[in-house]
C-alpha cells in the first residue's frame, strides 16, 4: 500500500525547528504507519540561513515569507516553531487555509489569544496539536497508564518543579534570537508560560483540571539591555513563580519554577501521592519512574526505580533492545506517533489546541493571582 504523504511546512528553524525536524525523520524510520512525513518546506526570514537549514535537514524547498508558505497547496501541515508572539497570527492564517497545524508551546501569550486560535481550528475543522513533548516520555506515559488504571486510589497531592539557572547574570541582555524568552512582549510571560506551562500541561493530563490558584512571582533583575533597541529596558517577565492550587478531584497542587536555581539546568520533576501508591519522575533521569506501592509486602516495601526501557514499555519496543534508554529528542517523535494514530482513527489528537488553551487559562490565573495577591479561579475550556 502506498503511504499517504504528510507534507510539512515548518516555520522557524532555531532550537525547536531542529527538535521537530529530527523527529520528522525518526518517525518514518522507527514507527511505520499508513502515513509518511515529508519535510516539504522550511520558512525563515534569513534566506541564506534557511537554505543552509533546509540542506542539513532534508527540506525540499524554502520560503522567507510565512504567508507564502501557508498559501502553498503542496503543504498539508503547518508546523509553527516561532517565538510566542507569532503563534496567534500564523495559526489563524493556517487554519483559514485549511491546513492541519502543529504549534510550539505555550499555545499563546494569553488565554485570550489562545481562545481565538481554538475558535479558528474548530471552525476550519483541522487536526491540531501543541508540542507539549514531555507528555510523550515513556516513563511519563507509564505514569499516566498507572494513574488511569485507578491503582493510586484517591489522590491527595500533586507537586511539580521546573528549575533552571541560565538568567542569573544581570549582564545577560533581553530580546532577539535566543533571548526573546526574556522579552515580555514576545514571550507573554517568563517562567510561568515557558517552564511551568510544561508542568501544568502534564498535571492536567495526569490529574485533571485545576479549579483555583494562589501564586507569587518575582523579577530578580529589573532592567536588562535590549538586543534590538540597544537600550536598557525594564524587564517585564517573571523570573520565578510559586503557586499552589486545588484540583477538581479534591487534591492539592504545589508548583515552583525559576531560572535562578544555581546548578539546575532543566530539572523538571513531578510527584503524585495517592492513597495506595505514589509516583515520581525527574527529567534529568527521564527514563526512570519511581514507584511506591503500599500493597507490597510490608518488610520489602519501599521506593522502586523502574528503568522504563523494556520492549513492552510505551514506545520502547519500536526503538532498540531492552535496557537501552531513550532521551529528550524521542519525546518529539512520540508526539507525532500519537498524532498519526489519531489521524488514522479520525479523532482524538492530544495535546490539542483546546488542551493548550486549558494550560494558558491556568497561566493567566497564576499571573493574575500573583498581581492581586488573591486566590483566583481558573477559567475552564468550553
Ligand atoms: C527554556 O530554556 C526551554 O528551552 C523551554 O522553552 C523548553 O520548552 C523546555 O523544554 C526547556 O527549556
Amino acid at each position: 500500500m502506498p503511504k499517504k504523504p504528510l507534507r510539512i511546512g515548518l516555520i522557524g528553524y532555531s532550537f525547536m525547528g531542529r527538535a521537530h525536524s529530527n523527529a520528522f525523520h525518526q518517525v518514518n524510520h522507527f514507527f511505520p504507519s499508513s502515513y509518511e512525513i515529508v519535510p516539504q518546506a522550511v520558512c525563515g526570514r534569513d534566506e541564506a540561513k534557511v537554505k543552509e537549514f533546509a540542506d542539513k535537514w532534508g527540506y525540499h524547498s524554502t520560503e522567507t515569507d510565512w504567508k507564502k508558505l501557508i498559501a502553498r497547496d503542496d503543504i498539508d501541515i503547518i508546523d509553527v516553531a516561532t517565538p510566542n508572539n507569532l503563534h496567534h497570527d500564523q495559526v489563524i492564517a493556517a487554519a483559514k487555509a485549511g491546513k492541519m497545524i502543529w504549534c510550539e508551546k505555550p499555545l499563546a501569550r494569553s488565554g485570550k489569544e489562545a481562545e481565538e486560535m481554538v475558535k479558528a481550528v474548530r471552525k476550519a475543522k483541522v487536526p491540531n496539536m501543541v508540542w507539549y513533548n514531555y507528555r510523550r516520555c515513556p516513563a511519563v506515559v507509564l505514569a499516566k497508564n498507572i494513574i488511569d488504571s485507578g491503582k493510586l486510589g484517591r489522590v491527595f497531592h500533586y507537586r511539580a518543579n521546573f528549575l533552571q539557572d541560565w538568567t542569573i547574570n544581570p549582564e545577560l541582555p533581553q530580546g532577539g534570537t535566543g533571548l526573546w524568552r526574556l522579552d515580555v512582549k514576545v514571550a507573554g510571560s517568563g517562567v510561568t508560560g515557558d517552564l511551568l506551562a510544561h508542568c501544568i500541561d502534564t498535571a492536567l493530563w495526569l490529574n485533571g483540571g485545576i479549579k483555583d490558584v494562589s501564586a507569587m512571582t518575582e523579577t530578580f533583575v529589573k532592567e536588562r539591555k535590549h538586543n534590538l533597541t540597544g537600550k536598557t529596558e525594564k524587564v517585564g517577565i517573571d523570573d520565578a513563580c510559586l503557586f499552589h492550587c486545588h484540583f477538581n478531584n479534591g487534591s492539592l497542587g504545589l508548583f515552583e519554577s525559576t531560572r535562578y536555581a544555581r546548578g539546575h539546568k532543566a530539572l523538571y520533576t513531578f510527584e503524585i501521592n495517592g492513597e495506595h501508591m505514589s509516583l515520581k519522575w525527574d527529567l534529568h533521569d527521564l527514563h526512570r519512574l519511581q514507584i511506591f506501592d503500599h500493597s507490597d509486602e510490608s518488610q520489602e516495601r519501599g521506593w522502586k526505580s523502574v528503568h522504563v526501557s523494556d520492549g513492552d514499555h510505551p514506545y520502547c519496543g519500536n526503538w532498540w533492545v531492552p535496557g537501552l534508554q531513550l532521551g529528550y529528542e524521542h519525546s518529539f517523535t512520540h508526539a507525532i506517533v500519537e498524532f498519526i494514530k489519531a489521524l488514522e482513527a479520525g479523532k482524538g489528537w492530544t495535546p490539542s489546541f483546546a488542551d493548550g488553551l486549558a494550560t494558558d487559562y491556568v497561566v493567566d490565573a497564576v499571573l493574575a493571582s500573583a498581581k492581586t495577591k488573591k486566590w483566583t479561579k481558573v477559567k475552564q475550556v468550553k
Side-chain angles (χ1 to χ4, degrees):
M1 273 279 279
K3 290 180 184 274
K4 282 173 253 164
L6 283 175
R7 296 162 300 178
I8 312 290
L10 169 70
I11 318 179
Y13 55 86
S14 291
F15 174 24
M16 282 304 120
R18 282 192 291 132
H20 298 186
S21 301
N22 175 52
F24 298 159
H25 293 285
Q26 299 290 15
V27 77
N28 292 334
H29 295 143
F30 289 92
F31 293 86
S33 71
S34 54
Y35 288 93
E36 170 94 11
I37 298 284
V38 180
Q40 189 78 346
V42 54
C43 175
R45 281 170 302 182
D46 184 320
E47 196 172 357
K49 282 194 183 150
V50 83
K51 285 215 153 87
E52 191 189 325
F53 185 91
D55 284 348
K56 190 185 262 177
W57 290 98
Y59 285 86
H60 304 318
S61 61
T62 60
E63 294 288 349
T64 51
D65 175 353
W66 60 262
K67 291 188 177 140
K68 283 200 182 137
L69 180 82
I70 289 174
R72 278 172 56 162
D73 56 15
D74 64 341
I75 301 289
D76 303 304
I77 298 180
I78 289 293
D79 183 17
V80 176
T82 50
N84 302 350
N85 61 324
L86 298 173
H87 293 185
H88 174 271
D89 290 4
Q90 291 172 344
V91 159
I92 303 240
K96 280 194 181 142
K99 308 291 188 200
M100 297 183 250
I101 314 170
W102 296 340
C103 184
E104 245 317 306
K105 51 61 57 178
L107 180 60
R109 290 174 297 179
S110 65
K112 186 175 171 297
E113 273 189 346
E115 275 171 8
E116 290 167 9
M117 293 154 85
V118 168
K119 211 164 141 196
V121 290
R122 281 185 178 159
K123 186 166 173 216
K125 296 194 173 58
V126 288
N128 50 87
M129 178 187 78
V130 189
W131 289 97
Y132 277 115
N133 59 300
Y134 296 120
R135 276 193 190 201
R136 304 304 182 198
C137 292
V140 177
V141 180
L142 179 59
K144 167 79 174 158
N145 294 344
I146 295 172
I147 294 165
D148 286 357
S149 75
K151 281 187 190 160
L152 270 68
R154 182 174 167 195
V155 175
F156 300 115
H157 297 286
Y158 188 98
R159 63 185 75 79
N161 289 323
F162 205 136
L163 312 179
Q164 297 187 332
D165 72 354
W166 61 280
T167 63
I168 294 177
N169 180 358
E171 302 305 317
L172 188 75
Q174 57 173 316
T177 312
L179 293 170
W180 59 263
R181 285 178 177 78
L182 275 66
D183 179 350
V184 74
K185 287 194 221 82
V186 177
S189 69
V191 293
T192 309
D194 188 37
L195 302 179
L196 274 182
H198 279 298
C199 305
I200 295 164
D201 173 72
T202 320
L204 299 180
W205 190 51
L206 297 180
N207 197 37
I210 292 177
K211 215 191 294 180
D212 54 9
V213 300
S214 170
M216 62 196 271
T217 57
E218 186 55 68
T219 302
F220 296 117
V221 175
K222 311 280 188 213
E223 289 184 328
R224 290 183 188 271
K225 196 178 135 203
H226 199 291
N227 270 329
L228 302 182
T229 63
K231 292 191 192 129
T232 298
E233 293 184 16
K234 188 170 172 247
V235 171
I237 58 157
D238 43 296
D239 287 334
C241 176
L242 312 175
F243 79 90
H244 55 176
C245 65
H246 294 103
F247 282 87
N248 292 334
N249 66 4
S251 61
L252 305 183
L254 181 61
F255 293 75
E256 181 191 5
S257 185
T258 178
R259 293 185 182 130
Y260 287 70
R262 182 61 87 203
H264 294 301
K265 304 303 167 187
L267 187 71
Y268 172 14
T269 57
F270 70 73
E271 173 165 348
I272 181 166
N273 307 131
E275 198 180 347
H276 309 301
M277 216 184 231
S278 288
L279 305 174
K280 275 200 280 189
W281 180 77
D282 170 350
L283 177 56
H284 282 191
D285 221 0
L286 85 179
H287 52 283
R288 288 191 175 274
L289 185 68
Q290 314 286 335
I291 304 177
F292 183 95
D293 186 350
H294 190 66
S295 69
D296 284 348
E297 205 273 305
S298 67
Q299 301 256 318
E300 292 167 18
R301 201 184 285 146
W303 281 96
K304 67 183 171 203
S305 171
V306 179
H307 194 263
V308 186
S309 62
D310 218 333
D312 58 354
H313 280 135
Y315 311 114
C316 294
N318 282 64
W319 293 98
W320 315 111
V321 297
L324 302 186
Q325 70 213 35
L326 305 178
Y328 167 75
E329 73 273 22
H330 300 90
S331 61
F332 292 89
T333 303
H334 302 156
I336 303 175
V337 170
E338 294 304 327
F339 184 85
I340 288 178
K341 267 196 223 156
L343 265 194
E344 284 172 337
K347 60 176 182 190
W349 31 84
T350 57
S352 65
F353 283 10
D355 297 318
L357 171 61
T359 290
D360 284 348
Y361 278 155
V362 178
V363 168
D364 277 2
V366 165
L367 296 173
S369 163
K371 218 180 212 168
T372 59
K373 298 187 168 51
K374 290 202 170 108
W375 275 92
T376 304
K377 280 213 155 55
V378 176
K379 226 171 146 181
Q380 306 292 317
V381 177
K382 284 187 211 121

